[in-house]
Amino acid sequence: REAESFKEQGNAYYAKKDYNEAYNYYTKAIDTCPNNASYYGNRAATLMMLGRFREALGDAQQSVRLDDSFVRVRGALPTSYSWLIPCLHLLQLPLSPQGHLREGKCHLSLGNAMAASRCFQRVLELDHKNTQAQQELKNASTVLEYEKIAEVDFEKRDFRKVVFCMDRALEFAPACHRFKILKAECLALLGRYPEAQSVASDILRMDSTNADALYVRGLCLYYEDCIEKAVQFFVQALRMAPDHEKACLACRNAKALKAKKEDGNKAFKEGNYKLAYELYTEALGIDPNNIKTNAKLYCNRGTVNSKLRKLEEAIDDCTNAVKLDDTYIKAYLRRAQCYMDTEQYEDAVRDYEKVYQTEKTKEHKQLLKNAQVELKKSKRKDYYKILGVDKNASEDEIKKAYRKRALMHHPDRHSGASAEVQKEEEKKFKEVGEAFTILSDPKKKARYDSGQDLEEDGLNMGDFDANNIFKAFFGGPGGFSFEASGPGNFFFQFG
């Protein structure tokens, strides 16, 4: 009588959806009468409503063990009367084998679709018209199918599809840690670290010793280049499960990657660039899946190449870095500097624009401005190159260079050449005059060096006369003339 009273009170709280109180009273009923299948069945139903499926499974299995044919005639019998089953079949009354059905639903919620299928089939053996068991059996088959697809797709490294399959499977198996862990691992491999960490952390809150969840937490940290913290999680996972292959491999890779990177950094600081290059290259071969760390390694190796004046190789390394991590500002800055050093100014401007859009600092603004000036200058005639002098050439060096080039390209010197050659030499003679006009005047030279548009300053280079520049330079009221002194040889004289 006391046990039944506890049960009835539990039923009342269950009806009001106060499942915690219902659980307490069903537990009192079990403590009073531990061999009653219906009490375990009711508590199992309550635990399922509370989402405590593993505990619910234990109660459901106990109810079945106590009465393998535990049935409830809907609206007729309140408890288990197994001896009435043959009579009930003869009367064709609807049967509902709740013990097996609850056990199956617990198995399915926990992700054990095979065990769930066996339970639902047992229900259908007792009651072949049980529509709930029929639907649950279909659900279990669906979960099994998603499991198979996910297994194949994981091998193909199609992680997005695995996440999709696990999401669908979790609709039927919401308490399955195995499905959640697989989803979290794939999210980590897809670079969706916050989502992966959230799933793993939820599991660890319920089970702090779950080695798979510890492994996934470590994996997220590892891929975010927090290698030291990642190793701590991998070690903890291996304490819980010494044979955890994935944690073992990840721990080994993490330690090797950390050591190689640190050795490379040390060699770089010591100025041993050749050794640093070799160490960074070795580190890049350890784990191609670690995108963030590898991006840093490529950028580091790019810095080494720039120190070795292998600028194109440095650009390639920085390009690989931004391909792996398109938010990596340091790689863009390093590549932009290499572009500047190789006079690829348009590419440099593009990189500095990317940097400034991301981080609007005064330093980045100035770098962009400098690159834009150099780009503008690169699209003008290079007067230093025309005269064949360095940008730091002195006034005397500029004059000597003009004397040499002006005489070399003067039209009179090529009067006997073909019309095409004469035209080309006349063009060069004019350019030499332009170059001297600008570089011999300190103010014009300063404006030219700063990237200012000289035509905007009132200097129209199309109007000036190269011959006047030539005459002014060489002087003499009678002018000058070229005379042949032999085949292909000329000298000039003033009149």
Side-chain angles (χ1 to χ4, degrees):
R1 282 179 178 274
E2 187 180 14
E4 280 295 311
S5 175
F6 288 140
K7 175 190 170 184
E8 293 304 324
Q9 291 180 73
N11 290 348
Y13 280 112
Y14 187 94
K16 290 189 292 186
K17 298 184 179 180
D18 188 344
Y19 302 117
N20 286 312
E21 278 302 311
Y23 171 81
N24 291 334
Y25 278 100
Y26 289 140
T27 300
K28 290 178 181 180
I30 290 171
D31 291 342
T32 305
C33 184
N35 295 318
N36 189 299
S38 68
Y39 299 164
Y40 285 100
N42 287 3
R43 192 170 71 171
T46 303
L47 287 166
M48 290 169 69
M49 297 306 295
L50 290 169
R52 294 158 61 179
F53 292 100
R54 199 165 299 282
E55 296 171 74
L57 176 61
D59 276 354
Q61 289 174 327
Q62 180 64 7
S63 74
V64 170
R65 278 193 292 270
L66 289 171
D67 188 348
D68 185 48
S69 56
F70 171 50
V71 291
R72 175 172 57 84
V73 182
R74 297 191 188 93
L77 297 176
T79 57
S80 172
Y81 291 88
S82 59
W83 57 272
L84 283 176
I85 289 176
C87 301
L88 294 171
H89 277 295
L90 289 172
L91 293 171
Q92 295 185 334
L93 291 175
L95 301 178
S96 179
Q98 291 295 315
H100 293 293
L101 194 58
R102 288 193 184 110
E103 182 184 355
K105 290 177 74 172
C106 288
H107 277 307
L108 185 57
S109 295
L110 292 165
N112 192 344
M114 288 293 291
S117 296
R118 289 193 292 270
C119 291
F120 299 138
Q121 286 166 353
R122 174 61 176 152
V123 173
L124 292 172
E125 288 172 8
L126 296 169
D127 177 10
H128 68 280
K129 293 183 179 180
N130 191 305
T131 56
Q132 189 176 2
Q134 290 170 357
Q135 182 58 52
E136 293 292 355
L137 187 58
K138 288 180 182 178
N139 293 344
S141 297
T142 300
V143 170
L144 285 170
E145 186 63 25
Y146 280 128
E147 278 193 84
K148 290 177 184 177
I149 295 170
E151 184 178 353
V152 173
D153 288 330
F154 189 87
E155 290 298 320
K156 293 179 180 178
R157 300 186 66 79
D158 189 349
F159 302 125
R160 293 184 188 279
K161 196 169 180 183
V162 176
V163 170
F164 172 83
C165 289
M166 289 300 96
D167 279 337
R168 300 291 79 76
L170 283 164
E171 291 175 4
F172 303 104
C176 182
H177 286 182
R178 183 164 48 89
F179 293 168
K180 290 178 180 179
I181 288 294
L182 181 56
K183 174 185 174 180
E185 183 178 0
C186 290
L187 287 171
L189 292 167
L190 288 168
R192 294 160 62 179
Y193 307 120
E195 295 172 76
Q197 288 191 39
S198 177
V199 174
S201 296
D202 285 344
I203 293 172
L204 288 171
R205 275 192 288 271
M206 293 182 282
D207 178 10
S208 62
T209 64
N210 189 300
D212 292 324
L214 290 167
Y215 160 71
V216 171
R217 283 286 286 115
L219 196 65
C220 291
L221 290 165
Y222 172 61
Y223 285 148
E224 289 184 293
D225 197 40
C226 299
I227 295 180
E228 194 168 340
K229 288 184 179 179
V231 169
Q232 293 174 6
F233 275 95
F234 294 144
V235 169
Q236 194 175 349
L238 289 169
R239 285 200 195 102
M240 300 300 110
D243 296 328
H244 199 295
E245 292 183 6
K246 289 182 178 180
C248 185
L249 176 61
C251 190
R252 186 164 61 246
N253 284 345
K255 289 180 178 179
L257 202 54
K258 182 174 181 288
K260 286 290 181 185
K261 184 181 176 184
E262 288 177 350
D263 289 346
N265 292 346
K266 182 181 177 184
F268 180 83
K269 288 177 182 178
E270 293 173 350
N272 192 341
Y273 301 130
K274 183 178 179 182
L275 177 59
Y277 178 90
E278 292 173 356
L279 289 166
Y280 289 142
T281 302
E282 289 173 12
L284 282 164
I286 292 172
D287 185 1
N289 293 321
N290 195 320
I291 292 172
K292 285 207 170 184
T293 302
N294 287 343
K296 290 182 179 180
L297 288 168
Y298 272 119
C299 187
N300 287 358
R301 196 173 73 173
T303 304
V304 170
N305 276 322
S306 69
K307 291 289 185 181
L308 294 170
R309 304 310 296 167
K310 296 179 179 180
L311 298 178
E312 289 302 327
E313 288 91 336
I315 289 171
D316 289 342
D317 277 340
C318 292
T319 299
N320 284 327
V322 298
K323 280 180 180 178
L324 293 176
D325 182 1
D326 63 0
T327 65
Y328 193 13
I329 295 299
K330 188 176 179 180
Y332 284 110
L333 288 170
R334 172 58 57 193
R335 186 171 69 175
Q337 184 58 57
C338 291
Y339 281 139
M340 292 289 286
D341 292 342
T342 53
E343 300 183 359
Q344 300 178 65
Y345 300 119
E346 287 188 10
D347 292 323
V349 167
R350 186 189 65 243
D351 277 356
Y352 283 132
E353 284 176 341
K354 171 75 173 178
V355 170
Y356 185 62
Q357 287 169 4
T358 306
E359 295 182 358
K360 295 184 182 297
T361 67
K362 289 183 179 179
E363 181 185 358
H364 294 159
K365 185 177 182 179
Q366 188 59 48
L367 288 169
L368 173 58
K369 185 178 179 181
N370 293 344
Q372 290 170 333
V373 168
E374 292 301 323
L375 174 60
K376 187 175 182 180
K377 287 164 64 176
S378 71
K379 291 182 177 180
R380 305 173 307 170
K381 291 179 182 178
D382 188 341
Y383 291 139
Y384 291 102
K385 189 174 182 180
I386 289 170
L387 288 183
V389 296
D390 185 77
K391 291 182 179 180
N392 298 316
S394 66
E395 186 178 344
D396 286 342
E397 288 172 330
I398 290 171
K399 287 181 178 179
K400 288 179 182 178
Y402 172 71
R403 179 189 297 274
K404 178 181 177 182
R405 295 297 173 105
L407 294 174
M408 183 186 301
H409 299 299
H410 195 284
D412 288 353
R413 184 171 187 176
H414 302 281
S415 58
S418 66
E420 185 178 350
V421 171
Q422 287 186 40
K423 185 176 180 180
E424 181 63 26
E425 292 298 326
E426 186 176 354
K427 177 184 175 184
K428 291 180 179 179
F429 178 70
K430 183 178 179 181
E431 287 179 341
V432 168
E434 284 183 30
F436 181 69
T437 298
I438 301 302
L439 300 183
S440 62
D441 185 315
K443 290 183 179 179
K444 292 175 183 176
K445 181 176 182 296
R447 289 198 294 271
Y448 174 78
D449 288 343
S450 66
Q452 295 181 45
D453 192 330
L454 297 175
E455 291 190 3
E456 288 181 0
D457 293 336
L459 181 62
N460 188 348
M461 301 308 294
D463 293 340
F464 97 108
D465 190 332
N467 286 309
N468 289 338
I469 300 296
F470 187 88
K471 289 175 182 178
F473 182 85
F474 286 102
F480 66 92
S481 63
F482 283 92
E483 294 185 2
S485 61
N489 296 316
F490 295 85
F491 68 93
F492 75 92
Q493 62 180 12
F494 291 100

